[in-house]
Structures are given as C-alpha cells and as structure tokens.
Amino acid sequence: MHVADPQRHARLPTRRAGRSGLALGVATLGLWQNFGAARPFAEQRELVLRAIDLGITHLDLANNYGPPAGAAEESVGRLLARDLAPYRDELVIATKAGYRAWPGPYGEHGSRKYLLASLDRSLARLGLDHVDVFYSHRYDPKTPLEETLGALTTALDSGRARYVGVSSYSAVRTAQAAELAQSMGLELTLHQPSYSMLNRWVEHPDAAADGRSLLDVAADVGLGVVAFSPLAQGMLTGRYLDGVPPDSRAARGGPLRPEYLSADNLAHVRGLAEVAAGRGQSLAQLAIAWVLRDPRVTSVVLGPRTTAQLEDSLRAISGPPITPDELAAIERHAVDAGVNLWGPRSSEL
C-alpha cells in the first residue's frame, strides 16, 4: 500500500474549470500511450504514484487507451484497489468514449448505445461506481447531437459521472453542443482539445462560430479547457533533432508520423529550443508553460514515459512567466506543423 506524500496538495496550483465548481491542478497525468499491456505494471505504478506525490490529482483515461483498448483503465483499476483506495475522493478520474473500443457497429462513434455501454465497461475495469468526468471523445456527424448529449445526461443523472464534456469538437460544434445542452438542462463542464506550439487550431477563428475560435467559445459558454498533447507527440522535447531514437514513439510506430519530422518543422523546433535555452528551461518546459500562458486553459495533460520526464515537465509550473520579447520570438516558430491527428476525425467535421 502506497502512503502518499503529505505535502502533495501544496505543490501544484489549481484553476477553476470554466464556470463550474471543479478546480483542477494545472497539470494532468494522461494515460494514452504509456499504459499498454506490453509495459510492466510496476513501471506504470511507479509513474502514477510519483505523479500523485508531486501533486497531480487528475488522471485522464479513455476506453481505447492501451493497447489493447481498456488496458490503461485496467491498470488504474488495480492501483485504485491496491494503492489509491484511501485517496479516491482526492482524485479526479476522467474517461472518454468515441473511438473504436470493440468490434462491430456499436464499438465506436457517438450513439447512446455505444457511449453508455462504454461507460459501463470503463467503470467495471476501473472498479468504480462512477467517474468524475465522462467525455464524448469526438464529434460524430452521423449521430444527432441530441442523442450524444442525451447519453451524457443519462451518465450524470444515473450517477455514473459527476461532470461531462466533449473532446476535439470544433468551435462551431462546441457552440452548438453548448446551446443544445442548455436547452436540455445539461451542464457541460470541460472541453479537451489538442493544443501545442505546433498545433494551434484552437486559436483559429471559425466563420461558422461567428468568427470565434474554440478558446473563445469555451470562454463564452463557461467550459474549462484541458489541453492535451502539448509536446506535439514528442516533437517539442528535442528528441528528434538529430534523428529518430530507437526507443522513441516514432520508432515504435506511434502517432508521431515520419512526415511530421520535416526539415521545415525541425527548423522551427530548433528555434523554439533556442528560446527555451535562453530561459534556462528544457524545450518541453517551455512548451508546457506556453500552453498554460492562456488563462482560458484550465489544465495541460502530460504523457511522460518515465518519472524523470514527469519531473522535468512539472518544473515548467514554477518557471518564470514568458516575457513579451520571448513570446515574439516564439511566435516566429510556433507554426502549425500539420500534426493535428484528430482534425479529420473530429475537429474538422
């Protein structure tokens, strides 16, 4: 049984999630890529427990995280039963449904049947009677938005979730969802988009949303923003400036595609690394601090592979504010690099 560090809650600032009463630490532990069945459970345990000792209370999951799908939730379920049972009410456990989690026509997308079945499966894997946050993981143009939001309403009303939200919805789809939710008496609390110095789609004006960006819409309707992939799948760690390391995500066939590592993109990464060095920071620390510079961002999701990477990333929280001159230097290199994996499957629909 793990005994958590008694000073943990003093280590991480919190921000309020939109207009809700939910306060989240500015850093969240994401369990997307490093909690599959191929990784020893002891390593997963070490990383999660270290994150909690460092003040992280928010664990971000989805039904398809692993691989295989469900493996990450099973690992967290083991930890909740063994090490974290005394701390359950100190934690925010979030999960999502939208991408493929099992075979057949009801194993993905946004239908009521899929979303609620997925939530029940997630709860069984986690060994919980409720999660704190349940997200629609992506917009589904083939399912009426009323049906998707109705499933989120049922998740709340049945007590299987405490808060609900959406992930990777565009500005206009988020505005539509918020308006419809209000008419249904549903309170959406969070939006989880990808956001980094190389993936700035959340800042772009959307003509269909009256020229507002996703960040604008989230602020207008009172949604907290939990930004994921702040390191652009590892591009903003500097690991790829001299080639692809054999133990990297790119070498393992992960979401970091070889075409992302173009000469142009790497030149911008080098420019950003120079700004970070001038601040006495790692590139990863600068990337995290940059996302958190916007007060509309509630929390940033970190996906470290090791405790050393986690500790390096968290040092961004206590770093100096980014100055106007540094922001100007960053702006020259913080360009969209075509790394939004989720655009064609959600935010561009």
Side-chain angles (χ1 to χ4, degrees), residues 16-240:
R16 193 70 60 177
R19 288 198 292 261
S20 78
L22 181 65
L24 295 178
V26 294
T28 293
L29 182 66
L31 292 92
W32 173 26
Q33 296 187 66
N34 295 310
F35 291 83
R39 187 174 189 195
F41 177 72
E43 294 180 7
Q44 300 180 43
R45 177 178 181 269
E46 178 187 24
L47 185 54
V48 173
L49 297 184
R50 182 60 178 150
I52 288 169
D53 281 345
L54 291 172
I56 288 178
T57 59
H58 184 192
L59 305 182
D60 182 70
L61 293 151
N63 60 356
N64 63 330
Y65 288 179
E73 290 178 330
E74 289 173 356
S75 291
V76 172
R78 290 176 66 183
L79 289 170
L80 286 166
R82 173 181 165 185
D83 291 290
L84 300 179
Y87 310 110
R88 169 63 185 99
D89 290 335
E90 299 178 23
L91 301 174
V92 171
I93 308 295
T95 196
K96 302 180 280 293
Y99 291 101
R100 178 159 293 278
W102 62 84
Y106 317 118
E108 63 179 324
H109 298 307
S111 72
R112 179 179 180 85
K113 176 173 175 58
Y114 164 67
L115 290 174
L116 294 176
S118 177
L119 178 55
D120 288 339
R121 289 186 179 209
S122 292
L123 292 174
R125 287 189 289 262
L126 290 163
L128 298 175
D129 62 1
H130 74 275
V131 291
D132 298 289
V133 184
F134 181 53
Y135 292 94
S136 166
H137 206 170
R138 60 169 166 169
Y139 175 72
D140 177 11
K142 295 183 178 180
T143 298
L145 196 50
E146 294 91 336
E147 181 174 342
T148 297
L149 296 180
L152 297 184
T153 301
T154 297
L156 283 177
D157 291 347
S158 65
R160 285 126 94 187
R162 297 290 188 256
Y163 300 90
V164 294
V166 297
S167 179
S168 296
Y169 281 41
S170 68
V172 66
R173 299 304 182 194
T174 301
Q176 291 169 350
E179 182 178 4
L180 185 56
Q182 184 177 37
S183 73
M184 298 167 63
L186 170 66
E187 189 71 31
L188 293 174
T189 300
L190 291 168
H191 191 301
Q192 189 173 130
S194 60
Y195 185 31
S196 75
M197 293 191 290
L198 298 179
N199 179 22
R200 302 180 65 171
W201 72 274
V202 300
E203 301 173 359
H204 298 164
D206 185 339
D210 299 323
R212 294 175 296 169
S213 70
L214 173 60
L215 290 175
D216 294 332
V217 171
D220 288 347
V221 303
L223 291 176
V225 174
V226 178
F228 72 89
S229 204
L231 305 184
Q233 293 87 60
M235 288 181 66
L236 291 171
T237 63
R239 289 198 80 199
Y240 300 99

